[in-house]
Amino acid sequence: MSAAISMFVFGAITAVLSLQLPLGALRMPGSGFFPFTLGLALMALAAGHGVRIYLARPKAAAAQAPASSTLPEGDGATRRVVLFVTGVIAAVVLLKPLGYTLASFLLMLALLQILGIRRWYISLAVALGSAATCHVVFVRLLQIPLPSGWIF
Amino acid sequence: MIESLQYLADGFAVAMTGQNLLYCLIGAIVGTLVGVLPGLGPIAGIALLIPATFGLNATSALIMLAGIYYGAMYGGSTTSILINVPGETASVITCIDGYQMAQQGRAGPALAIAAIGSFIAGTLAIFGLVLIAPPLAKAALAFGPPEFASLMIFAFVVLSNVTGKSLVEALMMAIVGLILGTIGMDPVTGNERFTFDSAYLLGGIEFVAVAIGVFGLGEILVNTAKPPAQLEQRVLVPHFRDLYPTLQDLKRSIGAILRGTGIGFFAGLIPGPAPVIATYAAYATEKRLSRHPEEFGRGAIEGVAGPESANNAATQSAFIPLFVIGIPFGPVPAILLGALLIHGVTPGPLLISDSPQLFWAVVASMYIGNFILLLLNLPFVPLFANILRVPKKILLPLIMLFCVTGMFSVNNSVLDIWMMLGFGVLGYVLRGWAYEGAPLLLGLVLGPKLEVAFRQSVMISHGDFGIFVERPVSLTLLLLTLVFLVFPLLKRAWQSLRPTRSDGTAPGGPQ
C-alpha cells in the first residue's frame, strides 16, 4: 500500500509542477505537456492499484501472507542497512576535507565493522590494503582528480 | 550478403588490432568478474566502467563494454553451479540442475557445458546478427517519428508485461523513469524543467548514477540486510582435471544447446529482459522434450546446456534492435545506448551505413570475445571460483568503495555520488515493494527520445492524433501493444471465473 501511495504522491507532485510550465496546445505541445500527462497517468495507475490492494486486503490478512517483499527481515536487518548507509554518507561528507585516500580507508574500516568482522587486525589490514590499492590505481595510474586531503 | 561478409572481414581487421584485442580481453575478464561477484550485475558493472572508456575512441569503448555484457553471461553460471547463488538473474534457472550436478561431484562438466554451450550459442547468434541487421536497418529507414513513438510505447508495455508479477507496477516504474527523464532541458524548446534553479540538474539526471544506485547499491544493501551468518559460504572449487565433460554429456547437450540458441536469439529481438526470458523458455522446452524428464531438478545436464546457451544467444541478438533502430529493448542495451551517446554515436537505421567501421568491428569483436571467454572459462574457472572464497563481509565494502570511486570519475562530481546514494536507497525500497528497477532505467534513457518522437509526430499532423493509426507500421505496433495490455486482464478474468485453481500453481518468477 505504501508503494501505491508513494507513486500517487509522486505523480501528483509531477503534475502540479508541470502546470507551472507552458502546456502548449495539442498541435504544438509545450514543455509541460509530456510530464503533465505522465503525472496524471501515474496517479491514475497508482490509484487503481491502491484500490485493488485495499479490496484484496481481507484475503491477504487471512492468509497471513507477508507482502511479496524480497528483503530479508529481522535480526537487526534495518539497523545494519541504516548504519551502512550512514557510514557511506559520512565518508562522502569527509571526502573533500580528508581527501579520497583517507576517506576510503575510514569507509572500509566502518563498513567492515558494520558487517561484523570481529578481529580488528583483519579489518585494519583489509582497509589499509584496499585504500592503498585504490590510491595507486585510481589516483596514480588512472589519474582521476579525486579530492586530495592533507595527507595524500 | 557478400557485401556484409566483406565488411565483416574489414571489421575483423579493426578488431584484431592490438589495442582493440586488449580492450576485448579486459571487457571479457571484467564481465566474468561481474558475473561472479555478488551485488554487481552487468548493468552496474558496465556503468562503473563507462568512465574508463572516456579516453578511448567509440569503437574500442563499445568493444570493451559489450565484452562486459556477454562476459557476465558466461560468468553468471559459475556461481549458480558452485554455490547455488545466481550471479545474474539470467542464471537463476542454471542453479536448479547445475548445483545438483555440483553436489554429485560433477561441477566440472556442468561448468564446461555451460561454457561450450555459451560459445556455440554466441557464435551462431552473431552470425544471425550479421545476416539480419543490415536488411532490417534498411527497412527501419522508413520509420518516422510516429513509428518510433509507437515502437517505444510497445517496448514499454511488453517489457512491463514480462518482467514483474504485476503489469501495473512495472508500468508505474516505467512512468517514474520517463518523468525522471524530463528533468533538465526540454529537448525540443530548450526550456528548463524541474531543475529548481540548480545548475547540476540542468543536464538531467545522470543515468549512470541511477544504474549504479538502483542496481549496484540496492543489491549491496539487500546483502547487508541479511544476517551475518548468511554472508558466509562454503565453496567447492573444482580441479582442472575434473573439468572435461564425457562424450555422453556432450551427446546429451548438443540438441539442448542448439534449441537454446534458437530460443535465445528470438527472445533477444523482442522487448524485455531477453536473457532471463530465454532461460526460462529454454528450460521448459528441454524438460518437455526430454526422454527422462524425471532427471530435471536432479542434475540433468540439458538443464544447464539449454538455458546457458539461450541467455548467451539472447545477449548477442539484443544488440540488433539497439544497433538497427536505436531503441534498446532491455536495461543492459539501454546502458550501452547511454554509453554510445556519451561517445557521440547515435545508433539508429543509419548507423550501419554511416559508421560501418564501428558496427562491423564491434560485431567481429564479439566473435573474438566469445573465443576469449571460452578460453577464460574452461581452464581458468577454478581461478575465478576462488574469488568466491573471499567472504562477502569483505567483498561488499570493497564493491561499495568501487561504486563511490567509479561514480565520482564519471563527471568528477561529488554531487553524482549523492545522487547515486539516493537512488541506492530507492533501489532498496523498491526491492522491499518487490518492484522492478529495469522499466525505470529504460524509461529514463528512452524518455527524451519518446517525448521528441511524440511531439514531432503531433507537430507534423497539426495536433491530429490520427497520425499514429493512419500509418500501417505505427498502427500494427499500437494494436500489438493493445493485445499485450488486454491479454493479462483477460487471463485474470478467466482465472477468477475458475476459482478452484487460485493458489500455488503459478510458477515463480525470477528473483
Side-chain angles (χ1 to χ4, degrees), chain B residues 144-492:
Chain B
E147 281 80 15
F148 275 114
S150 301
L151 179 64
M152 281 184 258
I153 291 169
F154 171 71
F156 278 122
V157 171
V158 179
L159 175 77
S160 306
N161 230 324
V162 291
T163 41
K165 292 165 286 293
S166 156
L167 171 68
V168 177
E169 288 173 0
L171 277 179
M172 286 197 289
M173 290 316 297
I175 295 180
V176 171
L178 287 169
I179 291 175
L180 292 176
T182 62
I183 294 175
M185 203 122 65
D186 175 347
V188 178
T189 63
N191 275 353
E192 277 185 36
R193 287 194 297 200
F194 313 126
T195 55
F196 307 103
D197 295 323
S198 137
Y200 174 70
L201 284 177
L202 196 58
I205 299 256
E206 174 60 59
F207 79 93
V208 179
V210 179
I212 301 181
V214 173
F215 291 90
L217 192 47
E219 190 65 35
I220 294 174
L221 292 180
V222 170
N223 274 297
T224 306
K226 286 179 186 163
Q230 261 187 42
L231 293 181
E232 317 276 352
Q233 53 201 12
R234 276 189 64 245
V235 186
L236 297 161
V237 176
H239 290 289
F240 178 64
R241 60 171 188 279
D242 299 329
L243 273 177
Y244 295 97
T246 61
L247 203 62
Q248 172 74 8
D249 288 336
L250 286 172
K251 257 196 206 150
R252 281 181 61 170
S253 304
I254 189 69
I257 290 174
L258 294 177
R259 281 187 294 273
T261 305
I263 292 168
F265 186 79
F266 288 104
L269 298 179
I270 54 166
V276 183
I277 303 167
T279 52
Y280 279 83
Y283 191 82
T285 308
E286 289 317 313
K287 198 171 173 182
R288 197 165 305 148
L289 291 180
S290 173
R291 260 173 288 168
H292 16 237
E294 73 286 351
E295 279 183 30
F296 278 78
R298 300 204 185 99
I301 197 158
E302 297 95 328
V304 175
E308 279 304 313
S309 310
N311 74 28
N312 234 56
T315 305
Q316 313 287 353
S317 63
F319 281 95
I320 296 175
L322 174 65
F323 281 143
V324 167
I325 41 182
I327 294 179
F329 277 177
V332 186
I335 278 287
L336 289 170
L337 172 69
L340 279 171
L341 293 175
I342 290 176
H343 280 277
V345 179
T346 314
L350 288 171
L351 176 80
I352 301 179
S353 48
D354 283 359
S355 324
Q357 209 198 12
L358 175 119
F359 175 78
W360 292 104
V362 172
V363 170
S365 84
M366 290 181 185
Y367 276 108
I368 300 168
N370 268 283
F371 189 66
I372 292 177
L373 280 163
L374 183 68
L375 291 183
L376 271 182
N377 274 273
L378 273 182
F380 292 114
V381 131
L383 199 71
F384 284 106
N386 270 320
I387 295 169
L388 297 173
R389 286 190 166 156
V390 179
K392 267 193 184 176
K393 287 175 186 175
I394 292 175
L395 276 180
L396 293 175
L398 263 178
I399 297 174
M400 188 66 234
L401 180 57
F402 288 149
C403 288
V404 170
T405 315
M407 191 65 242
F408 177 85
S409 60
V410 174
N411 297 315
N412 299 330
S413 154
V414 178
L415 285 174
D416 278 349
I417 305 180
W418 291 119
M419 187 67 88
M420 172 195 77
L421 260 177
F423 277 102
V425 173
L426 177 72
Y428 181 74
V429 172
L430 288 180
R431 278 172 176 76
W433 294 340
Y435 277 28
E436 293 275 341
L440 182 134
L441 189 66
L442 208 62
L444 177 70
V445 174
L446 281 186
K449 279 174 160 261
L450 175 60
E451 182 176 7
V452 170
F454 172 77
R455 283 164 74 175
Q456 282 175 347
S457 304
V458 288
M459 278 190 237
I460 295 171
S461 70
H462 301 289
D464 181 6
F465 281 67
I467 191 169
F468 294 106
V469 290
E470 278 155 13
R471 300 168 64 126
V473 175
S474 172
L475 176 67
T476 313
L477 287 165
L478 288 179
L479 286 177
L480 281 171
T481 310
L482 200 66
V483 169
F484 272 95
L485 274 177
V486 173
F487 180 70
L489 293 177
L490 288 179
K491 205 171 110 188
R492 194 182 303 137

Side-chain angles (χ1 to χ4, degrees), chain A residues 61 63 106-107:
Chain A
L106 292 175
L107 173 68

Side-chain angles (χ1 to χ4, degrees), chain A residues 2 31 49 68-70 80 100, chain B residues 186 193 224-226 405 431:
Chain A
S2 60
S31 298
H49 194 53
S68 46
S69 169
T70 48
R80 262 195 314 280
Y100 170 72
Chain B
D186 175 347
R193 287 194 297 200
T224 306
K226 286 179 186 163
T405 315
R431 278 172 176 76

